[in-house]
Amino acid sequence: MTDGIDRYAVIGRPIRHTVSPLVHGLFAEQTGQAMTYEVIEGPSSSSEFAAVVRAFIVDGGKGMNVTAPFKADAFSLADEVSERAWLSGAANTLTFTADGRIHADTYDGLALCRDIEVNLGQSLAGRRLLLLGAGGAARAAIAPFVAAGPAEFVVANRTLSKAAELAELGGRLGGTVRACGYDSFDGLGSFDVVVNATSASLTGELPPVPMRSFDPAGLAYDLAYGRGLTPFLHHAQAAGVAHLADGAGMLVEQAADAFARWRGLRPRTETVIAELAAHSN
């Protein structure tokens, strides 16, 4: 335990690749906060996740970021959950309150939307949006994407029923979302923004999205980061897409939201995104 300094951490498995300590260190320096931020390699079994978190709390931990594969476990562990976390069934940020309760939230979807619209200057309002994947990352994005007001919103997934679940959720949130399988791209035309929320890039694979789905003047966005051009981004580049982006900006934005939850002030993100880009090169 570090006397007088609040402790935070990120937990995941594997976690060695994380740049979260760098990001939060830059936030702390920028805002003059006295805190530490460490890396915890998660247990091999999700059943042991709660014990690891509670041990960190006992040792003075104030909050924790959660990454794969523990986001659903973090949600289940919490005593209180935000509406965002409830909608996605997952949490990427835990806050440990003075009365011993665990609060869960997720900022992934908000951060993704902010990175696209603010940092990259690509408005989603009135545009055609294609979201690839129907896992936790895609589910977290549904509400912010619906709120952004795309003219057309399609969720594509290998298993159509899972895409249909997200489309139904989007409908309950007031949007019009269409679901399709990877074998049903014919007739859909091209999209202004194509977001890869599948795990394919983590294993060096390409989701089966045809080149005709990309609008050359649009944006191709991959949630994976720190890997150079992923197979998805290479594919989009070959299709002539003008704007390519990975998830580094999303990572920084969600970290800033977690930092604000913990410390009561939101750091500036633009310089940290630039620093992260330099660190990755």
Side-chain angles (χ1 to χ4, degrees):
M1 185 179 299
T2 304
D3 292 338
I5 300 180
D6 291 339
R7 295 179 63 204
Y8 300 92
V10 60
I11 186 170
R13 186 180 180 95
I15 196 64
R16 287 176 296 177
H17 67 284
T18 184
V19 295
S20 291
L22 169 64
V23 171
H24 281 274
L26 291 169
F27 286 164
E29 180 181 347
Q30 178 193 126
T31 57
Q33 298 290 297
M35 56 181 281
T36 64
Y37 190 95
E38 58 203 77
V39 175
I40 298 176
E41 181 77 20
S44 57
S45 170
S46 63
S47 63
E48 302 170 34
F49 174 79
V52 175
V53 174
R54 294 194 187 281
F56 182 69
I57 296 172
V58 169
D59 204 27
K62 299 295 185 182
M64 182 178 283
N65 287 134
V66 182
T67 188
F70 300 115
K71 292 183 180 182
D73 299 305
F75 174 82
S76 298
L77 179 62
D79 302 298
E80 305 166 350
V81 299
S82 70
E83 182 178 4
R84 286 185 295 268
W86 182 81
L87 284 172
S88 64
N92 78 340
T93 302
L94 298 177
T95 304
F96 312 131
T97 64
D99 60 359
R101 298 176 68 79
I102 299 174
H103 179 275
D105 207 335
T106 182
Y107 300 112
D108 287 338
L110 284 176
L112 171 59
C113 201
R114 187 184 298 118
D115 192 36
I116 290 173
E117 295 205 297
V118 178
N119 298 332
L120 299 175
Q122 297 285 323
S123 174
L124 294 171
R127 304 183 78 191
R128 303 192 75 227
L129 169 64
L130 173 62
L131 177 63
L132 304 174
R139 188 177 184 88
I142 292 296
F145 277 166
V146 165
E152 187 170 0
F153 184 3
V154 176
V155 178
N157 191 60
R158 192 178 306 278
T159 304
L160 178 59
S161 60
K162 292 184 177 180
E165 288 178 11
L166 295 196
E168 181 182 358
L169 173 60
R172 295 202 304 269
L173 295 171
T176 301
V177 185
R178 178 177 176 181
C180 78
Y182 286 154
D183 58 352
S184 303
F185 284 109
D186 289 345
L188 291 181
S190 63
F191 292 83
D192 302 299
V193 179
V194 182
V195 176
N196 178 28
T198 74
S199 61
S201 292
L202 301 179
T203 55
E205 299 175 355
L206 174 69
V209 55
M211 285 188 176
R212 64 180 179 276
S213 294
F214 296 97
D215 185 326
L219 168 69
Y221 191 107
D222 197 328
L223 268 62
Y225 68 91
R227 300 169 182 268
L229 283 184
T230 63
F232 169 78
L233 292 178
H234 272 296
H235 188 58
Q237 186 180 59
V241 176
H243 304 287
L244 308 174
D246 66 13
M250 172 185 169
L251 169 75
V252 174
E253 293 294 342
Q254 64 81 27
D257 286 332
F259 190 95
R261 167 76 191 185
W262 295 333
R263 309 304 296 178
L265 71 170
R266 195 178 196 278
R268 299 185 307 276
T269 58
E270 61 276 7
T271 57
V272 178
I273 292 172
E275 179 75 16
L276 190 60
H279 178 79
S280 300
N281 292 333

